[in-house]
Amino acid sequence: MASATGIPERHPATITNGNNSDDTRSEHEPLLGQHGDVSQKNDQNIVHNLLLGTASVAQAGIWILAAIVWNGVFTHDLIFFSPHPLLNSTAVLLTTQAILILQPTHTPSQKRTGTLTHFALHALANTLFLSALIIIEINKSTHPETRFTSIHGILGLTTYILILLQAGVGVAQYFFPAQVFGSVDKGKGVYKWHRLSGYLLLGLELVTIAAATGTAYNRSTLHIRLWAVVVAIVLVVAGVGARAKRAKLPRW
């Protein structure tokens, strides 16, 4: 998926340590909690970011959600369509990891490492999303009249399109800011909006999964309960949202 928390915090050529103390404090202050609650320590491996602060809540939610989907699929006969929910749920799981691993970074070296890891996880997630899209398109090709007849189908196509756009903006602003936006500074001006749209896109992905419980296939075969999916989604949103930092989002 293209970046959900902002690829990147800053372009490598422009990262400096020149922030004043007030700006630094504001940047590190999460929506819930105090300054430094979700900041990666200087000597801490980036992997710790996956459980730092309320990340454990998000992890519980996303793994429960994945387990619900995987259990629903693997406890029934596998068919050509089966990889579609498996690939999509795994892609959302990877997208969540990509967000969590980048959120707490704050030093230039952490941001570089976090952004590249974020990019790699999204590259893998987007490959899975694309594979899931191909599978559903082939599956629907024999009965095209069933395309976009459900809320899940409409949301799904919308989500795939937005993922592609988000990925393009993320790559452009980090790797090619001057070529695409005219300068590094103009590319940096997109970061906060890209980060915000990434959070919203993750929410859309989760809603699309919830909408899948209303499809005919789920009602007749998988029997995944909406309430269970909603509980898992609430945990993901709470865990990720609480770690969002005020200064890294647009000011209205």
Side-chain angles (χ1 to χ4, degrees), residues 227-241:
W227 69 264
V229 172
V230 170
V231 169
I233 288 174
V234 168
L235 292 175
V236 176
V237 172
V240 171

Side-chain angles (χ1 to χ4, degrees), residues 27-29 35-41 44 49 52 103-106 110 245:
E27 179 179 313
H28 294 175
E29 189 172 315
H35 167 67
D37 282 356
V38 290
S39 294
Q40 181 183 351
K41 296 180 180 179
Q44 199 170 45
N49 293 353
L52 190 63
Q103 277 182 318
T105 61
H106 59 95
Q110 288 175 356
K245 297 175 181 178

Side-chain angles (χ1 to χ4, degrees), residues 72-93:
V73 173
F74 285 120
T75 53
H76 296 84
D77 292 336
L78 298 180
I79 58 176
F80 180 80
F81 171 80
S82 297
H84 177 76
L86 295 174
L87 290 168
N88 275 327
S89 58
T90 303
V92 176
L93 187 153

Side-chain angles (χ1 to χ4, degrees), residues 2-166:
S3 166
T5 56
I7 259 186
E9 172 54 27
R10 294 182 179 178
H11 188 272
T14 60
I15 292 177
T16 66
N17 287 306
N19 295 334
N20 62 47
S21 59
D22 289 340
D23 289 342
T24 300
R25 181 179 182 84
S26 176
E27 179 179 313
H28 294 175
E29 189 172 315
L31 294 181
L32 295 179
Q34 300 300 317
H35 167 67
D37 282 356
V38 290
S39 294
Q40 181 183 351
K41 296 180 180 179
N42 292 336
D43 58 347
Q44 199 170 45
N45 189 287
I46 196 169
V47 175
H48 288 86
N49 293 353
L50 296 175
L51 292 173
L52 190 63
T54 58
S56 57
V57 177
Q59 292 286 14
I62 196 60
W63 282 101
I64 289 172
L65 181 60
I68 290 171
V69 175
W70 298 345
N71 179 71
V73 173
F74 285 120
T75 53
H76 296 84
D77 292 336
L78 298 180
I79 58 176
F80 180 80
F81 171 80
S82 297
H84 177 76
L86 295 174
L87 290 168
N88 275 327
S89 58
T90 303
V92 176
L93 187 153
L94 289 172
T95 296
T96 304
Q97 307 310 311
I99 295 172
L100 295 175
I101 207 160
L102 182 59
Q103 277 182 318
T105 61
H106 59 95
T107 69
S109 62
Q110 288 175 356
K111 289 174 182 177
R112 282 193 294 270
T113 302
T115 296
L116 293 176
T117 306
H118 178 83
F119 169 76
L121 288 169
H122 272 302
L124 179 55
N126 290 347
T127 300
L128 299 183
F129 278 129
L130 177 60
S131 300
L133 173 60
I134 292 172
I135 287 173
I136 192 62
E137 282 302 304
I138 294 175
N139 188 66
K140 293 286 186 179
S141 63
T142 57
H143 38 92
E145 70 280 359
T146 63
R147 283 192 175 101
F148 316 124
T149 57
S150 68
I151 295 176
H152 172 70
I154 296 171
L155 288 176
L157 178 61
T158 302
T159 302
Y160 286 134
I161 293 172
L162 292 177
I163 286 170
L164 177 62
L165 294 174
Q166 182 79 350

Side-chain angles (χ1 to χ4, degrees), residues 161-204:
I161 293 172
L162 292 177
I163 286 170
L164 177 62
L165 294 174
Q166 182 79 350
V169 172
V171 170
Q173 68 180 27
Y174 188 74
F175 295 105
F176 312 104
Q179 295 89 330
V180 177
F181 298 102
S183 69
V184 171
D185 286 339
K186 289 182 179 178
K188 287 166 59 178
V190 181
Y191 293 170
K192 292 184 178 182
W193 294 102
H194 179 67
R195 187 175 295 110
L196 175 62
S197 64
Y199 283 130
L200 295 176
L201 184 53
L202 174 63
L204 181 58

